[in-house]
Structure formats: C-alpha cells, structure tokens
Amino acid sequence: MGERDEPGTIGRRVQQLRVARGLTQKQLAEPVYTPAYISTLEAGRVRPSDDALRHLAERLGVEFDELATGRSARQVTEMRLRLTEAQRVLAVGEAESAVEQYTALLAEAEAQELPEEQAAALLGLGECALDTGELVDGRRYFEEAEERLADAPLPARVPALRGRAVAHYLAGELRYAVYLLESTIDELNRGGLHDPDALLLLYASVIGPYMDMGAHARAAQAAEFALALAPQSGDPALVARMHRSVARTLLAEGRLAEADASLAKAAELYRGLQLRTELANCHWMRGYVYAQNGELERAEAEMREALHMLSVARATLYSSQLTVELADVLHRRGRSEEAAELLRDVLGGLSPERGAVHAAAAHRLLGIIAEDARDTDRAEEHYVRALSLLERAGAAGDLADLCRLLGDLLRRTGRVEAALDAYRTGLGHRTAPGTTTLGPAPAQPPV
C-alpha cells in the first residue's frame, strides 16, 4: 500500500481521533478486534495491518491514507487543483500572482512531505523566474525540482531539465544549454521514450541556442519538429477550464481518482499554453529564414506575430531579443531610425548576464547604423562593446562576423595593424556550425 508512518505515529493519530470522536477503545475495536489490541496499537507497540487500518478508518470516519500517512487523498487532490490554478495564472502572464501561489503550495507540500507536488511548485517558481528574468533563482528552482524527481521517469523530468537549460541559455551559456537539451532529446529518442509533449518542449527550446551559435540548419529542423508535434486544440484555455470544473465536481462527490485524471488533463493543457513562448520562437525562426532569403516583408510579419505572442505572455527577455532581430529587418527595409529607436529601448533590459548575445547584436546593428551615418567613432564604440559580450558568451559565428565589421572600419580609418588584429581574431573563431561547435546532431523523433 506504499509508505506509511511509524507505528508510534499511527498509534498517536488513532488515539487523538478516537478521543475527538468520544469513542472508547472497546467501541473502536468492535466487532473485529479487542480493546487490548487497540491499547497496544495506540501505544505504538504493534504495526497495524492494512485490514486493521481500513477497519479503524471506517470506524473513525476518515480515509485509509489519512490514518496511515496523516494526509488524505482528498487533501492531495485539492492541492493539485490549486497547482493547476497557479499554472493558469502563470500561463496568462500574471507571474507575480503565480509566485505567491506557488510559494504557499511549496511550503504546504514540504510540510506534508509530498515530493511530486513539491517538484510541481518548484517548477512553477522556476518558470515565473524565467518570465521575470531572475535567471539565478530560476536555475536553482529547476535544480531543486530535478532533485525531487530523481527517481521519476525521464519524461517527467524534462520540464525541469528544459527550464535549467533555458536559464543557462539566457545567461549566455550557449554550449551548455545545447548540451543539456540535445542529450535529453537523444536519451528520449534512442531509448524509445517517445513522449510528444516532452519532445515538443525540448525541440522548441533548442531553437534559440542553435540560432545564436550559427547552427541555422539545426534550428530550422528543430522548428519544423516542434510545429509538427504541437498539440492541435482549438482553445486549450477553455478546455483546461472545463477539466478544472469537472475536477471540482468529482472532488465534491468523493471521486478522487477521476478528479485527479481531470486535473492531469488540465495541467497538460496549461503546459501547452505556457508553450506559447516556445511556439513564438518558431514564428521567430521563420522570420529569420525569410530575412536570410531577402523576403523582408514576410520576415517582418512573422517577427511581429512572434513579438505579439511574447508580449501577451509577458516574456520580456525574449521580447527584447526578438526586437533586436526585428530592428535588423527594419534597417534592411530602409527604416533605420525606427530600428535604432527599438534598439535603444531594449538595451536597458539586456546585459552580459541577461541576453548577452542579443545585447551584442543590438550594439552591432547600432554600429552599422552609425557607420551609415558616417559616425565612425560611435560605430567603433558599439562594435567593441559587442565584441566583449560575444567573447564572454562564446557565440563563434557572430564573433567572426563582428571582427570583420570592426576590421573593415579600422582599415577605412587608416589603422591597418589594428584592422589585421581584428581580422585574425575573427579567423580564430571561424567554426563550422554543427561540427566543432555542437558535435553530432541529436537523434530524430518518430514524428
């Protein structure tokens, strides 16, 4: 029947419940057991059998689990109901309110020693931290969630693994983020653990790191896998709300297993709603491909769609990163002033610890715009800032391109030796995306 408390703890619980209900030991024992047995049990000198606990639970008017563990199945189901409510709050972008709910739930789950519910609350706190850009806290929450789920199957641990990878990615640690995501994808696919939800989460999350590392072919493939795996539900929020309502009804009727099943469906749908940020990355990726092909109008449309999805989700850090790439498209469409204004707005929300690669991209583009305006001093200043950020993040492809831009600028201003140094630095960072930078591609899913 699973873990239960020690005999002494159970004995004290039985005695407290018996006294609270005004029963004698004889009344509690009849007709199956003797008062002496109840006395021995209450003293903690005997480990009651499952049959004995069922008899006592029925006489005391409580559930078997409550007598054996101190917590009822109803309490656990009610906690899961509140966890899905916190998921809903986070999914609609109310991160601060979600933090309050998850914090209270974590404390309650710890008090009742419920590891799965602890992990769910920690995972929620980690997602809230990603939304608000508190990356160190987020990574800590995800690591703690993984610890609580150490004995669970891999698909159950994927959200925590993915969250930790995203926290590293947003902190500029690209290669480690890719390693975490690819190794988990490989373990799922090669081990035959085909879980569409888990794979969707991983493929959608690896797009950003691939893009920043210059592995555009892998990013495009991951985007197509993610879109193919995306759940096809007309209105997941509506369906999830229905499942929550059904769960409340079933809970009131004492049908706990069915209530738990409805809550599991609601939780899955809310995870899908939280994937709005990840699916926005797919539109972002398509916009990038259009931009590379010179289809700038289509690129702008895709990026604005992605930006709208991210804004609805209040994913401010992702929104800042995407805005940098939208600014590049606007610049290429001849709208440099509009692009520069966007870049200046977002730079305040980016830093070496939060979005280093895109902060560098913003400085790079501002440098190009300054060069177009013949302001070489300002252009050089932006290029040097970008170079410092990219060296820290290890974005090899972007570093090589930036060194070329800086070298060209230095050469045009007569500083040939400095230009040669910049070119040499760039050549040192020339790597083939998908080979020395990333290693072998992960196994493909049976989509």
Side-chain angles (χ1 to χ4, degrees), residues 44-56:
R45 294 196 297 269
V46 64
R47 178 178 293 275
S49 66
D50 289 346
D51 287 341
L53 283 178
R54 289 194 188 92
H55 166 80
L56 295 173

Side-chain angles (χ1 to χ4, degrees), residues 23-46:
L23 298 175
T24 65
Q25 291 180 337
K26 181 180 179 182
Q27 289 171 324
L28 180 59
E30 292 177 340
V32 182
Y33 300 95
T34 65
Y37 175 76
I38 300 301
S39 177
T40 304
L41 187 153
E42 291 183 348
R45 294 196 297 269
V46 64

Side-chain angles (χ1 to χ4, degrees), residues 251-418:
L251 183 58
E253 295 175 356
R255 298 157 64 185
L256 303 183
E258 294 168 83
D260 274 339
S262 278
L263 289 174
K265 292 176 183 176
E268 182 179 346
L269 288 162
Y270 284 128
R271 278 194 294 273
L273 285 173
Q274 285 175 251
L275 276 176
R276 186 179 183 89
T277 297
E278 310 300 346
L279 294 176
N281 280 338
C282 298
H283 287 284
W284 184 349
M285 177 65 211
R286 283 177 169 171
Y288 178 88
V289 170
Y290 287 140
Q292 292 301 301
N293 292 336
E295 301 174 69
L296 299 181
E297 185 176 352
R298 296 180 73 182
E300 181 180 349
E302 286 285 351
M303 288 183 180
R304 288 196 184 278
E305 172 63 19
L307 193 58
H308 170 70
M309 294 175 73
L310 293 173
S311 297
V312 169
R314 292 177 64 185
T316 54
L317 188 53
Y318 289 115
S319 297
S320 297
Q321 295 174 339
L322 175 54
T323 299
V324 173
E325 300 201 16
L326 175 59
D328 180 57
V329 171
L330 295 174
H331 167 65
R332 291 167 62 186
R333 297 193 72 187
R335 292 147 62 185
S336 295
E337 288 187 15
E338 184 180 350
E341 185 177 350
L342 285 176
L343 293 169
R344 285 190 288 268
D345 285 344
V346 301
L347 268 175
L350 298 171
S351 70
E353 290 75 30
R354 296 178 70 247
V357 172
H358 284 78
H363 281 296
R364 172 190 176 278
L365 184 50
L366 283 169
I368 292 172
I369 293 172
E371 273 205 85
D372 291 345
R374 301 186 184 282
D375 188 347
T376 55
D377 288 343
R378 180 62 60 83
E380 183 178 348
E381 179 184 339
H382 283 299
Y383 289 154
V384 170
R385 287 188 182 182
L387 185 63
S388 174
L389 290 163
L390 290 175
E391 284 181 330
R392 184 179 186 277
D398 289 345
L399 262 169
D401 175 67
L402 181 64
C403 288
R404 177 188 60 78
L405 287 171
L406 179 58
D408 290 348
L409 173 64
L410 294 169
R411 179 173 54 81
R412 283 195 297 271
T413 55
R415 288 171 285 174
V416 177
E417 286 301 320

